[in-house]
């Protein structure tokens, strides 16, 4: 009796499936094909032509951010371009955020274009900010606004913003009313978590809708003043009063 050893048949690919490039029947590599001209993949959304003019109008936010290495979250008018470019594109960015005509005639550390503060409250905040600057050298500046009614980029020159400046912007447009721009030298002395805690305590929507925008602003300024007067150390500004 003679046994014939026949090679087992190769498994057949299911109907419609692509052939494997590693098949033993195909030892020659497939020729490389040049991709079609213009066929390019990108995850970035290309703005429509209508967004070009908006981009030019919104570029002031980038200039403002370049002036000082601010690292904390910033409010609607001061970061609108940045937030919208990440979320829905520059096509939805708003223009009209550079209005020097909204600046006061004389220098002041508190600018309230939204009408959140009474004249007495403004005076108390100015005095607190003046005393803080004399005692610590830190410059606190307060801008209360309702976007798009804001001086915008004009505040940079008006306040001479530098590395020792805290720009506190109170704007309820995006929910949390309290936002900060922190100078780089301040960021070295004050833990970044402090600003988040102040914003979370006094800036949340439930707080300012219940107690008023003015109470949020005054509470935040008081907390900042106490923090900046504490000795620098690993546990400074650990509590928000």
């Amino acid at each position: 009796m003679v046994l014939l050893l026949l090679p087992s048949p190769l498994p057949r690919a299911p109907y419609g499936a692509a052939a494997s490039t590693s098949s033993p029947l195909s030892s020659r590599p497939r020729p490389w094909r040049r991709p079609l001209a213009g066929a390019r993949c990108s995850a970035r959304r290309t703005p429509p032509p209508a967004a070009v003019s908006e981009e030019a109008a919104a570029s002031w936010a980038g200039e403002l951010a370049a002036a000082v290495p601010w690292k904390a979250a910033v409010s609607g008018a001061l970061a609108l371009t940045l937030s919208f470019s990440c979320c829905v594109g520059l096509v939805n960015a708003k223009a009209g955020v550079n209005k020097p005509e909204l600046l006061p005639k004389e220098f002041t550390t508190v600018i309230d274009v939204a009408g959140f503060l009474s004249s007495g409250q403004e005076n108390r905040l100015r005095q607190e900010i003046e005393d803080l600057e004399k005692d610590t050298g830190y410059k606190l500046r307060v801008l209360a606004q309702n976007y798009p009614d804001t001086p915008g980029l004009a505040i940079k020159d008006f306040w001479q913003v530098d590395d020792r400046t805290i720009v506190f912007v109170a704007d309820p447009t995006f929910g949390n009313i309290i936002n900060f721009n922190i100078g780089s030298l301040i960021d070295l002395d004050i833990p970044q978590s402090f600003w988040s805690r102040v914003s979370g305590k006094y800036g949340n929507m439930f707080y300012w809708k219940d107690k008023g925008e003015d109470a949020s602003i005054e509470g935040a300024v008081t907390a900042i003043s106490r923090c900046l007067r504490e000795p620098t150390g690993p546990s400074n500004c650990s509590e928000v009063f």
Side-chain angles (χ1 to χ4, degrees):
M1 182 176 180
V2 179
L3 296 178
L4 296 179
L5 300 179
L6 299 177
S8 60
L10 293 174
R12 182 174 298 177
Y15 179 77
S20 172
T21 57
S22 61
S23 170
L25 300 180
S26 177
S27 59
R28 187 173 55 185
R30 294 185 178 183
W32 178 78
R33 294 182 180 180
R34 182 182 301 274
L36 295 177
R40 181 176 300 175
C41 261
S42 175
R44 181 180 179 182
R45 179 182 299 177
T46 302
V52 175
S53 58
E54 298 285 353
E55 185 176 356
S59 63
W60 65 272
E63 299 175 6
L64 184 59
V68 175
W70 292 338
K71 300 178 182 178
V74 290
S75 77
L78 295 182
L80 189 71
T81 302
L82 301 179
S83 61
F84 271 79
S85 63
C86 293
C87 298
V88 294
L90 287 170
V91 65
N92 290 327
K94 306 296 184 182
V97 288
N98 185 22
K99 299 179 180 179
E101 65 272 14
L102 294 180
L103 292 171
K105 301 296 183 182
E106 298 180 358
F107 179 83
T108 177
T109 56
V110 179
I111 301 176
D112 181 16
V113 295
F116 295 150
L117 303 168
S118 67
S119 57
Q121 288 173 317
E122 286 191 39
N123 290 334
R124 287 195 297 272
L125 290 177
R126 290 191 189 99
Q127 187 61 54
E128 178 68 31
I129 292 171
E130 180 181 346
D131 294 341
L132 177 65
E133 190 168 346
K134 287 180 180 179
D135 295 340
T136 66
Y138 295 125
K139 301 192 299 183
L140 176 61
R141 303 293 182 258
V142 178
L143 171 62
Q145 64 179 35
N146 257 319
Y147 183 85
D149 295 325
T150 169
L153 181 62
I155 65 171
K156 180 174 69 73
D157 293 331
F158 182 81
W159 279 336
Q160 295 297 305
V161 174
D162 58 20
D163 291 342
R164 298 185 66 83
T165 303
I166 305 164
V167 178
F168 167 20
V169 182
D171 188 333
T173 304
F174 300 104
N176 194 306
I177 194 174
I178 293 179
N179 302 274
F180 302 103
N181 295 319
I182 311 301
S184 60
L185 295 181
I186 299 172
D187 209 26
L188 295 175
D189 297 334
I190 308 301
Q192 294 184 7
S193 59
F194 168 76
W195 309 106
S196 300
R197 293 197 300 271
V198 173
S199 180
K201 180 175 181 177
Y202 294 110
N204 72 81
M205 187 180 297
F206 299 101
Y207 187 94
W208 63 263
K209 281 194 172 183
D210 179 43
K211 301 182 180 298
E213 296 92 343
D214 56 336
S216 292
I217 296 171
E218 289 185 308
V221 169
T222 300
I224 294 169
S225 179
R226 289 178 176 177
C227 167
L228 295 179
R229 294 175 187 276
E230 291 183 13
T232 303
S235 61
N236 68 316
C237 304
S238 57
E239 297 184 11
V240 175
F241 298 97

